[in-house]
């Protein structure tokens, strides 16, 4: 039986990468999906990919760092499908690589604005709606950079550690009210973000795979689909005793 049959799922940052794969997996497993991103063409393409398989999805453009956009996103979700059962707060940016003393205030504010403020705003709005439903499940996208440090990525690392903290607090505050909250912490995943980090790190001297594959004990980076499998499972009733967890999906990276 499909994992989330009949549920309504929201995925932010769903124009590409992990977000797109997650939206597709939710639809494959029986959910009606609200696809959201600031990238309207990419988001609409995700919806088309879902509809091409005979499944149900709509696109809502939103900047998760803007409270009014997030509130409208939840309103549009309920207007489209009547409720909200599952949410994946995936929208995030990596910013510029530099040692902490060389980081700009603008880069720090931009990263925290999307990765932390955006996750907070989405969590707040989603929880308020799920309380009306008397339950739900939320997965936040953190990172292995939310579990260990990464030289050159201090704002990103700080944002993802904070996402893991928000996850734990939300799980503690709303567990008895029927809302489960977890985070996933991907390692290197084959996405545009990873390509950007590899390009910044090597100046194009190495491909993403050449740089990143050897860093993972399993011998390769992961795929967006592998992360999506975990996210949708965490939102399903099969994960009913999972809450407050920061779950690595990283090919053994943080076990080193």
């Amino acid at each position: 039986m499909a994992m989330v049959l009949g549920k309504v799922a929201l995925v932010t940052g769903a124009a590409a990468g992990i977000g797109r794969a997650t939206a597709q997996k939710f639809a494959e497993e029986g959910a009606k999906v609200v696809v959201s991103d600031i990238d309207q063409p990419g988001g609409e393409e995700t919806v088309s990919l879902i509809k091409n398989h005979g499944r149900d999805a709509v696109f809502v453009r939103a900047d998760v760092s803007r409270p009014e956009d997030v509130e409208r996103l939840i309103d549009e979700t309920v207007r489209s499908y009547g409720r909200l059962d599952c949410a994946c707060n995936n929208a995030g940016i990596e910013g510029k690589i530099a040692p902490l003393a060389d980081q700009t205030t603008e880069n720090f504010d931009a990263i925290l604005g999307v990765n932390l403020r955006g996750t907070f705003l989405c969590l707040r709005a989603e929880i308020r709606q799920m309380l009306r439903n008397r339950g739900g499940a939320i997965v936040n996208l953190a990172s292995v950079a939310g579990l260990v440090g990464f030289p050159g990525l201090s704002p990103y690392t700080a944002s993802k550690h904070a996402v893991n903290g928000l996850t734990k607090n939300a799980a503690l505050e709303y567990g008895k009210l029927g809302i489960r909250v977890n985070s996933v912490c991907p390692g290197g995943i084959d996405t545009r973000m990873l390509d950007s980090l590899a390009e910044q790190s090597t100046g194009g001297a190495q491909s993403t795979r050449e740089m990143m594959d050897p860093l993972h004990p399993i011998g390769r980076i992961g795929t967006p689909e592998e992360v999506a499998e975990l996210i949708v499972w965490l939102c399903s009733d099969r994960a009913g005793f999972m809450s407050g967890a920061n779950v690595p999906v990283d090919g053994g990276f943080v076990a080193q």
Side-chain angles (χ1 to χ4, degrees):
M1 185 176 180
M3 284 194 287
V4 287
L5 185 64
K7 295 185 182 293
V8 175
L10 164 65
V11 184
T12 67
I18 292 171
R20 171 174 286 179
T22 299
Q24 291 177 296
K25 184 62 179 175
F26 268 121
E28 178 186 330
E29 293 292 339
K32 299 175 181 178
V33 186
V34 177
V35 171
S36 185
D37 207 293
I38 58 169
D39 174 1
Q40 184 158 347
E44 290 177 344
E45 183 179 357
T46 300
V47 169
S48 293
L49 290 168
I50 291 170
K51 287 187 171 182
N52 287 344
H53 287 86
R55 296 163 184 140
D56 198 349
V58 296
F59 174 73
V60 179
R61 188 187 185 281
D63 177 346
V64 297
S65 69
R66 295 169 56 86
E68 59 271 30
D69 277 24
V70 173
E71 293 300 328
R72 180 176 52 80
L73 173 58
I74 301 303
D75 288 345
E76 290 293 331
T77 298
V78 175
R79 188 172 296 115
S80 296
Y81 295 125
R83 57 188 294 114
L84 175 64
D85 302 297
C86 310
C88 173
N89 296 320
N90 168 72
I93 59 174
E94 75 280 6
K96 303 298 183 183
I97 295 178
L100 192 148
D102 298 328
Q103 287 283 350
T104 66
T105 304
E106 291 77 13
N107 189 53
F108 182 89
D109 288 346
I111 293 169
L112 273 288
V114 176
N115 296 2
L116 178 55
R117 175 184 168 91
T119 300
F120 162 74
L121 292 173
C122 288
L123 271 173
R124 184 176 68 178
E126 291 155 1
I127 288 169
R128 287 172 176 172
Q129 180 58 43
M130 287 177 179
L131 288 172
R132 299 185 186 104
N133 299 348
R134 299 186 179 180
I138 301 171
V139 174
N140 297 320
L141 257 291
S143 167
V144 289
L147 301 172
V148 296
F150 276 83
L153 290 174
S154 51
Y156 182 80
T157 300
S159 74
K160 294 302 187 178
H161 273 72
V163 166
N164 280 334
L166 276 179
T167 299
K168 292 176 181 178
N169 244 61
L172 291 174
E173 292 170 356
Y174 295 99
K176 290 182 179 177
L177 297 173
I179 300 173
R180 296 185 298 103
V181 188
N182 294 287
S183 69
V184 297
C185 302
I189 305 298
D190 188 9
T191 61
R192 292 184 300 200
M193 180 183 288
L194 193 66
D195 289 341
S196 171
L197 292 172
E199 172 68 25
Q200 289 187 64
S201 297
T202 71
Q206 287 183 294
S207 71
T208 301
R209 299 302 296 257
E210 288 171 332
M211 178 186 174
M212 298 302 299
D213 281 354
L215 301 180
H216 296 77
I218 204 170
R220 64 171 177 85
I221 59 174
T223 68
E225 291 75 19
E226 288 173 313
V227 182
E229 290 278 353
L230 175 60
I231 292 167
V232 175
W233 180 79
L234 285 169
C235 283
S236 77
D237 293 340
R238 299 178 194 179
F241 201 52
M242 288 282 292
S243 195
N246 308 138
V247 187
V249 52
D250 66 351
F253 184 89
V254 297
Q256 299 178 102

